[in-house]
Amino acid sequence: VEVVSSRRFRRVPALIGAADAAAGVLNNVHEPLLSTQIVFFVLSFILYSSQGLLAGFSLMQAFLSPGSGQADLALHLAYAPLAMPFQVVSQLLCWLSFLAACDQVVSVPAGSRLASGIAAWLYVFALVTTALEMPADNALELGLDDRRTYLDELLQQAEADSTITFLERPVILNASIDDPLMLEEGESIVSVELSASTLDFWKFLIVLRAILAMLAWALICFDRSSAQFTTPPLPARLARASGHALQDA
């Protein structure tokens, strides 16, 4: 007899008719409590909505972050206050999206897991990109702290004279860096120095994560169904056992 809820076949004793057997199988299935269904719906909604949020958030970050090939740090220092908050949000959404993809892999039929499996691996690669972005995000936050005195003094001078811009770089004697808006020296692409190679690689990772997140989200949408937002029916023996446990408690 085929059980529609689980899409599987179940053996029944041959002593009863097929119609009686099918009715018996369906009658032995109990719907879970409404509160349980609501909890599972909320959890599923959070997990699966995180995949779309990750795609949109990564695309927004790709447009907001400074482009590669910058001649100075003016745009990067303007972006620096958002670096670590964006890093935290990206990691959280990547983990939630990965868990949702793994849940979908085990929820869909065995013959339809290719798209969900590929999406799960894409989220793994997205997590790797967030890990590789951390040195540059830390460098932006530390670089902003080191240049805060210069920027505050520049802001004060700009209030007095509106013609002063970042590009003019007025000389400030108490600045801790000789030329605060110039790129730092460094060859490593994952260093904590604000060098051209580090920032260009950081931008590449942001764009790559946006592409991975959008591809994974598109693949996930092909396998999604409303059954993933509900709890499956419980066999009668499990329902009775849980009821006795609640009564004993």
Side-chain angles (χ1 to χ4, degrees):
V1 178
E2 182 180 5
V3 181
V4 180
S5 59
S6 61
R7 298 182 182 178
R8 296 182 179 179
F9 289 89
R10 178 176 176 182
R11 291 182 178 273
V12 296
L15 300 178
I16 58 177
D20 295 334
V25 171
L26 297 179
N27 291 333
N28 285 332
V29 175
H30 293 259
E31 290 292 332
L33 297 175
L34 178 61
S35 59
T36 304
Q37 296 185 35
I38 293 175
V39 170
F40 271 81
F41 175 80
V42 172
L43 292 177
S44 300
F45 181 80
I46 292 174
L47 284 177
Y48 290 109
S49 62
S50 64
Q51 296 173 329
L53 290 174
L54 176 63
F57 182 81
S58 300
L59 188 62
M60 179 191 68
Q61 186 181 9
F63 280 101
L64 289 180
S65 57
S68 57
Q70 296 293 323
D72 53 32
L73 295 175
L75 294 179
H76 289 90
L77 292 178
Y79 175 85
L82 302 176
M84 291 308 297
F86 276 21
Q87 172 68 224
V88 173
V89 174
S90 298
Q91 287 194 14
L92 178 61
L93 291 178
C94 282
W95 278 111
L96 291 176
S97 300
F98 173 69
L99 292 177
C102 292
D103 179 73
Q104 185 156 326
V105 168
V106 300
S107 299
V108 298
S112 304
R113 295 177 179 174
L114 179 61
S116 300
I118 295 175
W121 278 107
L122 291 177
Y123 286 126
V124 171
F125 296 144
L127 282 168
V128 173
T129 60
T130 59
L132 294 176
E133 290 171 19
M134 289 186 66
D137 289 331
N138 289 327
L140 287 172
E141 186 177 39
L142 295 175
L144 179 61
D145 292 337
D146 293 338
R147 294 162 175 81
R148 195 171 297 277
T149 302
Y150 171 83
L151 296 176
D152 291 341
E153 184 68 21
L154 184 60
L155 180 60
Q156 294 177 5
Q157 294 186 14
E159 292 177 353
D161 186 358
S162 59
T163 61
I164 296 178
T165 64
F166 277 143
L167 299 179
E168 292 179 354
R169 297 187 181 90
V171 178
I172 300 176
L173 299 178
N174 58 353
S176 58
I177 303 175
D178 294 338
D179 197 350
L181 294 183
M182 289 297 294
L183 293 169
E184 299 177 0
E185 298 293 334
E187 298 296 334
S188 177
I189 59 177
V190 291
S191 65
V192 292
E193 297 175 345
L194 296 176
S195 61
S197 57
T198 299
L199 295 176
D200 289 347
F201 182 64
W202 169 77
K203 179 63 177 183
F204 167 76
L205 292 173
I206 292 177
V207 175
L208 178 61
R209 175 160 48 82
I211 295 174
L212 293 174
M214 288 188 292
L215 287 177
W217 185 39
L219 290 173
I220 285 291
C221 290
F222 285 109
D223 291 338
R224 186 161 300 160
S225 64
S226 59
Q228 294 174 262
F229 295 88
T230 58
T231 54
L234 298 176
R237 56 186 179 84
L238 294 180
R240 287 195 299 271
S242 60
H244 291 321
L246 292 176
Q247 292 177 1
D248 296 338

